[in-house]
Amino acid sequence: LESDVPMARLVEGDVGCGKTVIAFALLYCAFENGCQSAMMAPTEVLAHQHYLEAKRLLEPLGVRVRRLTGAVKGAERRETLAALQSGEADVVIGTHALIVESVQYKNLGVIVTDEQHRFGVRQRTALERKGRLAPHVLVMSATPIPRTMALVLYGDLDISIVDELPPGRKEVKTRIVPEAKRAGMYGFLLEAVKRGQQAYVVCPLVEESEMMDAASASETVQQMRKAMPGVRIELMHGRMKSEEKERVLGAFAAHEADILVSTTVIEVGVNVPNATVMVVEDAERFGLAQLHQLRGRGGRGDQQSWCFLMADPSERMRTMASTSD
């Protein structure tokens, strides 16, 4: 940032290594130098989480943080747009709502794109053009790609790699669980909940479909409520309105729910350190990178975390269970 050339850099680091903290340091640096900064996340769930975290860390330092997503409407939206244009807002965090034409910045100096692989080059460029001068750009991704491919996709970027996890993190233990052992896995979940821990259960579909025999989220919730009476189980999926998603995720983060049954909307970035178990239903239906992202929702605190892949043993599943790299 101190050189006279605009930064264009990809930070690649594994799930949970602390990329967000690097980003927040950058937003603060822009603030100290009298510039605005924008951080773009691929989903409303993730943008909202970054927004709350940025408020917690940066507002005590005098930074004025705003959010802008599709869900921000009416008066709040008008106020935020005015604050960005006049310079009353220092940091804005949002989804691709940040790049629509109606959004004008006073002096945008730093842009951060989180989970880079979810955005196209055009979306990135549209945000970069919002700055009067060429802004510094940081893009972050946890999806590991070979360096040769990185140069093709991000040839305009320098690459920094974060190759270690925060101290005290334990590796998430991964196990393959065939259908016959489901009851035992439910028993394990129950024990974890009794110890005050939380769990995610991820399903490939929202509702039962005749075409595919995959476990659906709504059916899984019913099944689990029967198997574990007294456990607080919430459901979340992509078809819900964003306010509803935020309510459910907020309740889970505040430990008002023990188990969150969800579709892959929680794949990227969701951070609940008390959640120590991740169950993936029909694990065969997910790609390895997706499974690795999902597994990374666990292991964010100092307790031992587990990931259970509901599937019959296969070469792919064994690969997943034997490596965390």
Side-chain angles (χ1 to χ4, degrees):
L1 291 184
E2 289 178 351
S3 76
D4 47 11
V5 182
M7 173 180 78
R9 187 168 285 277
L10 166 70
V11 168
E12 193 176 290
D14 209 345
V15 180
C17 74
K19 293 184 294 294
T20 314
V21 173
I22 295 173
F24 286 168
L26 202 65
L27 303 181
Y28 183 63
C29 187
F31 165 74
E32 287 212 299
N33 288 278
C35 290
Q36 289 173 305
S37 53
M39 183 168 177
M40 185 158 73
T43 63
E44 299 211 348
V45 166
L46 188 52
H48 185 63
Q49 180 183 295
H50 283 337
Y51 167 69
L52 295 177
E53 192 68 358
K55 274 175 81 79
R56 187 176 74 81
L57 290 171
L58 299 176
E59 281 196 341
L61 304 170
V63 184
R64 296 164 297 184
V65 182
R66 293 295 186 109
R67 66 175 184 148
L68 195 58
T69 65
V72 177
K73 295 189 172 72
E76 188 187 348
R77 190 179 189 85
R78 286 194 297 277
E79 281 166 25
T80 298
L81 291 176
L84 287 172
Q85 200 165 0
S86 68
E88 277 173 48
D90 303 309
V91 169
V92 64
I93 294 180
T95 52
H96 44 260
L98 296 176
I99 58 182
V100 295
E101 283 172 16
S102 57
V103 185
Q104 302 292 326
Y105 298 85
K106 187 174 185 210
N107 56 341
L108 184 60
V110 168
I111 292 167
V112 178
T113 322
D114 193 14
E115 296 301 342
Q116 172 52 40
H117 59 284
R118 292 295 189 88
F119 291 106
V121 175
R122 284 193 186 142
Q123 285 175 310
R124 223 167 65 212
T125 320
L127 185 54
E128 285 162 34
R129 290 207 185 105
K130 296 275 185 191
R132 278 184 311 183
L133 302 162
H136 294 288
V137 180
L138 178 75
V139 298
M140 309 195 292
S141 179
T143 301
I145 52 175
R147 200 175 179 92
T148 45
M149 191 169 151
L151 290 171
V152 175
L153 286 177
Y154 313 121
D156 51 335
L157 300 176
D158 300 313
I159 297 183
S160 296
I161 293 180
V162 182
D163 59 2
E164 48 189 11
L165 290 175
R169 289 276 169 93
K170 297 185 176 74
E171 190 181 306
V172 180
K173 292 185 177 172
T174 309
R175 299 286 183 269
I176 302 165
V177 183
E179 192 56 43
K181 295 193 174 165
R182 178 177 291 276
M185 188 269 297
Y186 280 171
F188 187 96
L189 275 182
L190 207 52
E191 286 303 309
V193 168
K194 280 180 186 156
R195 288 195 300 272
Q197 296 168 1
Q198 291 165 280
Y200 297 102
V201 178
V202 174
C203 308
L205 291 172
V206 183
E207 281 156 20
E208 198 56 62
S209 105
E210 289 174 7
M211 303 284 289
M212 285 162 65
D213 184 29
S216 71
S218 37
E219 190 171 270
T220 302
V221 169
Q222 291 165 359
Q223 191 183 354
M224 293 184 75
R225 282 182 178 149
K226 267 190 208 136
M228 293 181 265
V231 175
R232 301 168 299 174
I233 302 173
E234 284 272 9
L235 170 66
M236 184 165 93
H237 55 74
R239 288 190 202 161
M240 287 173 151
K241 290 203 168 82
S242 42
E243 297 84 31
E244 183 64 5
K245 271 190 250 180
E246 279 176 20
R247 184 196 67 74
V248 172
L249 202 64
F252 187 65
H255 204 165
E256 289 160 18
D258 302 309
I259 296 178
L260 181 61
V261 177
S262 164
T263 51
T264 51
V265 284
I266 62 154
E267 179 190 336
V268 286
V270 175
N271 189 18
V272 180
N274 191 45
T276 57
V277 184
M278 163 63 76
V279 178
V280 184
E281 295 281 356
D282 283 295
E284 278 291 355
R285 295 189 177 276
F286 295 91
L288 294 179
Q290 233 182 349
L291 288 172
H292 183 62
Q293 278 278 10
L294 286 169
R295 174 167 62 187
R297 298 309 109 229
R300 290 178 167 251
D302 48 12
Q303 310 173 72
Q304 179 62 57
S305 288
W306 296 84
C307 175
F308 296 123
L309 306 172
M310 302 301 291
D312 292 321
S314 66
E315 193 184 355
R316 278 178 73 237
M317 293 299 115
R318 281 195 286 266
T319 302
M320 202 61 214
S322 64
T323 176
S324 63
D325 182 344

